[in-house]
Amino acid sequence: KPAAVAAPSASHNRDPDIIAVERHLSELLGIGATIQYIGDGKGTLTLKFATLDQLDMICQRLSGEAI
């Protein structure tokens, strides 16, 4: 069973599209996802895991391996 997904922080000055992508990734992967967009098409994506099994699942999904 996936760990509870932490709600991405939403502040009044964040782009609603970025917040929506965070939520979509969190729901899709069953883990926390945070996007820090710095502008000009650049930023940081952070995926939060609580167990090594979750880390393995992230690696498998990113590499396209069967889960």
Side-chain angles (χ1 to χ4, degrees):
K1 181 178 175 182
V5 175
S9 60
S11 93
H12 65 282
N13 60 352
R14 294 188 66 218
D15 185 315
D17 291 332
I18 297 295
I19 294 169
V21 171
E22 280 182 343
R23 288 188 180 134
H24 180 74
L25 284 172
S26 292
E27 291 170 6
L28 181 69
L29 297 172
I31 59 172
T34 305
I35 298 172
Q36 293 179 314
Y37 181 68
I38 57 174
D40 197 29
K42 299 175 184 175
T44 302
L45 169 63
T46 303
L47 301 175
K48 300 170 188 163
F49 59 91
T51 67
L52 291 177
D53 286 339
Q54 286 180 333
L55 176 59
D56 188 47
M57 179 271 307
I58 294 167
C59 293
Q60 288 175 346
R61 288 195 177 190
L62 289 174
S63 67
E65 293 179 26
I67 298 175

